Amino acid sequence: MNFKKNVVLGICMLLVFSVLAACSNANTSNPPASNAGGSEEGQGSAKKDVKLTFFNTSAEVNTVFEELFKSYHELNPNVTIELIPTPIGGAQLEKFQSLLASNSPATIANLDAGTILQFKDKFLDLEADKAKYEALTKPGAIDGALLDGKFLGIPWTAQGYGLLYNKRVVEEAIGGTFDPASIKTRDDLAALFAKIEAAGTAPVMLHGADWSLGAHYLGLTYSLQSESVDSNRAFVEELKNGNVKLSENPQFTGLMDTFDLLIKYNARKKDPLVADYNKDSADFANGNAAFYFMGDWTWAVIGGLEGRDQEFGIIPVPVSNNASDYGNAQVAYSEPKLLAIDNSGSTPEQQEAAKAFLEWLVTSEKGQTAIVSEMGLSMPYKEVAVQGSNIISEAVTQYVDNGNAMNIGVINYLPQDYWAKTGASMQKYLVGKIDRQGLVDEIEAYWKSYAGK
């Protein structure tokens, strides 16, 4: 997801943190047991002094990483790790490119998956470690991290998004216990919204920023076509070639019919483009809206609010009135950032030391505590020694564990400006400046501009 760029949204899809795992024993065919909750000793400690550099685009947690580097150095005195920080919302890609151009690349880079794909020839192929991480992670986690079929970066965290709900508000409106599984279709959602409105509460909060509308909402169009990322990529190519008419595509039309429903019941309908992320999140957490189209990253805002409601959950965005249609039961889910190891200027000793550190990071209790407790993130690993505080992430995890996650990995292959350009069109539609056909025309024109690219 690539999930977005301002101080508050650092945990959002464009900026969401990522730390990769990697392995020290690349020659080993049998995957090691996870040491989650076990030994804190480093794995495969270097026999001579090795210095690693760590390029971090998750600027919000620079200090957390620095403390982890110190802890690892205490366990492995021969390994020193230096942080290369980037500012929140700063020119991170430009800084990464400048390091490459100056022949001083970082040993480890925490980057958006799409950026790793863009510079795939600069990173170490981790195919030899793939089986190890398939054994450590939840089903589908490694497949979701593959870029053009190559294992170039290891996932450490994952995010999900959909319609978040405030349990108290919904249950007060319906006068009983809310079963999220009861919302199987658009009509189910419309009936629930009507009850909530009748009870005197705004049914849904629709955030009007271009990243939310263009990447997260409209972006579902590209993932709803199929469960296969490759098939979804082929769909995008057909869009570029002008061979797809969105007005005739059931996934797009269904998604937009649901969007019309959200517009009708939007808590911000009087001024939908204000897009104050802090206020929208706080109003939802305080019960001023029953649902909120957003992701689990919003916990960074609402988790620490005083006097907020306590119970929250998530449901998928229903895109049709056929309960069995793909997407109606699946929460959008991705691994937005990966940690990759340099292969353009790093020595074999540095690469092996980097693998050892990354394995320790995602399997040791100290590393997992930092990721889950201090960063407030969810890990796509089978064995996690610590309990997180992010209630919404836990709700997303239940969908994942039940096999009800939609792999939105196609976004890794989309142009860097897709969400901003199409998000602007969605904003026009939101305020009634263009109608459905006008929206279709603008989206199709955007994709045709990339024909042959």
Side-chain angles (χ1 to χ4, degrees):
M1 17 229 114
N2 287 304
F3 317 115
K4 299 345 170 205
K5 299 187 178 181
N6 78 33
V7 173
V8 178
L9 302 176
I11 305 183
C12 212
M13 248 172 157
L14 288 178
L15 275 182
V16 162
F17 324 128
S18 90
V19 179
L20 300 175
C23 323
S24 58
N25 300 321
N27 303 337
T28 305
S29 58
N30 296 322
S34 167
N35 67 338
S39 172
E40 288 296 299
E41 294 181 3
Q43 303 169 18
S45 176
K47 293 179 176 154
K48 62 179 182 178
D49 290 347
V50 177
K51 179 181 178 180
L52 310 178
T53 51
F54 185 101
F55 183 84
N56 182 38
T57 57
S58 299
E60 300 78 12
V61 290
N62 279 338
T63 56
V64 179
F65 277 126
E66 287 180 316
E67 289 304 312
L68 284 169
F69 300 159
K70 290 178 184 177
S71 297
Y72 191 75
H73 181 66
E74 291 174 0
L75 296 169
N76 300 273
N78 293 334
V79 180
T80 302
I81 308 175
E82 177 185 325
L83 180 75
I84 301 177
T86 62
I88 297 173
Q92 298 175 334
L93 181 58
E94 288 83 352
K95 186 170 183 177
F96 174 74
Q97 290 174 305
S98 71
L99 291 174
L100 290 178
S102 63
N103 295 317
S104 55
T107 320
I108 303 168
N110 171 29
L111 296 167
D112 295 339
T115 302
I116 294 173
L117 178 65
Q118 182 180 351
F119 296 94
K120 61 184 178 181
D121 294 337
K122 302 296 184 181
F123 296 110
L124 186 67
D125 189 336
L126 299 171
E127 182 65 25
D129 302 296
K130 183 178 174 183
K132 176 187 290 188
Y133 282 93
E134 285 177 330
L136 291 171
T137 56
K138 294 180 179 181
I142 299 305
D143 284 345
L146 297 181
L147 299 170
D148 273 342
K150 291 187 176 181
F151 188 39
L152 300 174
I154 304 165
W156 71 290
T157 184
Q159 291 180 304
Y161 70 90
L163 286 169
L164 311 185
Y165 66 86
N166 183 317
K167 190 171 184 288
R168 176 189 65 80
V169 174
V170 176
E171 292 189 340
E172 286 182 0
I174 65 176
T177 301
F178 174 58
D179 177 10
S182 66
I183 308 301
K184 299 180 175 66
T185 66
R186 184 188 307 110
D187 282 351
D188 291 339
L189 185 65
L192 178 59
F193 279 1
K195 286 183 180 180
I196 295 169
E197 186 175 64
T201 301
V204 65
M205 185 74 67
L206 189 57
H207 188 60
D210 56 2
W211 56 262
S212 182
L213 301 177
H216 296 164
Y217 197 89
L218 181 64
L220 290 174
T221 300
Y222 318 117
S223 299
L224 283 168
Q225 303 300 318
S226 166
E227 295 184 45
S228 164
V229 172
D230 287 339
S231 294
N232 293 336
R233 291 177 66 188
F235 172 79
V236 172
E237 289 305 309
E238 290 297 286
L239 263 176
K240 292 179 182 178
N241 295 330
N243 296 328
V244 171
K245 292 185 178 181
L246 287 175
S247 60
E248 298 175 3
N249 181 264
Q251 289 83 3
F252 171 79
T253 57
L255 187 66
M256 291 310 301
D257 287 347
T258 302
F259 191 67
D260 288 344
L261 181 68
L262 300 182
I263 292 174
K264 176 181 178 181
Y265 289 103
N266 184 14
R268 299 288 187 246
K269 66 173 63 177
K270 292 183 179 178
D271 200 356
L273 296 184
V274 169
D276 186 329
Y277 179 71
N278 278 337
K279 180 169 175 52
D280 288 353
S281 300
D283 279 357
F284 164 72
N286 291 324
N288 295 325
F291 284 84
Y292 186 22
F293 178 71
M294 194 52 64
D296 52 15
W297 55 81
T298 197
W299 193 255
V301 176
I302 71 178
L305 292 176
E306 293 184 6
R308 64 167 171 80
D309 284 310
Q310 298 298 310
E311 297 183 84
F312 304 91
I314 187 171
I315 64 171
V317 176
V319 294
S320 76
N321 281 321
N322 181 351
S324 64
D325 283 349
Y326 182 59
N328 284 334
Q330 289 78 29
V331 164
Y333 184 74
S334 71
E335 293 142 357
K337 290 201 179 191
L338 306 173
L339 200 67
I341 298 174
D342 172 66
N343 197 35
S344 66
S346 300
T347 66
E349 291 79 13
Q350 288 176 314
Q351 291 173 346
E352 290 305 307
K355 288 184 178 184
F357 165 71
L358 294 172
E359 184 177 351
W360 173 85
L361 180 66
V362 296
T363 61
S364 71
E365 184 173 355
K366 187 145 194 102
Q368 290 183 346
T369 298
I371 293 168
V372 176
S373 298
E374 296 178 43
M375 299 181 189
L377 302 173
S378 175
M379 298 183 69
Y381 283 77
K382 294 175 182 176
E383 296 182 30
V384 179
V386 291
Q387 182 80 28
S389 61
N390 189 330
I391 297 171
I392 302 172
S393 283
E394 293 303 310
V396 170
T397 297
Q398 291 180 23
Y399 280 90
V400 176
D401 291 347
N402 291 332
N404 289 322
M406 181 194 306
N407 183 345
I408 60 172
V410 66
I411 64 174
N412 295 331
Y413 302 92
L414 302 185
Q416 294 288 318
D417 64 352
Y418 86 96
W419 57 270
K421 293 293 181 65
T422 61
S425 298
M426 287 288 284
Q427 288 176 323
K428 292 180 187 178
Y429 184 81
L430 177 62
V431 298
K433 188 174 181 179
I434 56 175
D435 60 11
R436 180 79 65 89
Q437 188 56 51
L439 177 66
V440 166
D441 291 343
E442 290 197 7
I443 296 171
E444 289 182 352
Y446 167 78
W447 286 111
K448 287 176 184 176
S449 73
Y450 275 92
K453 298 180 182 178

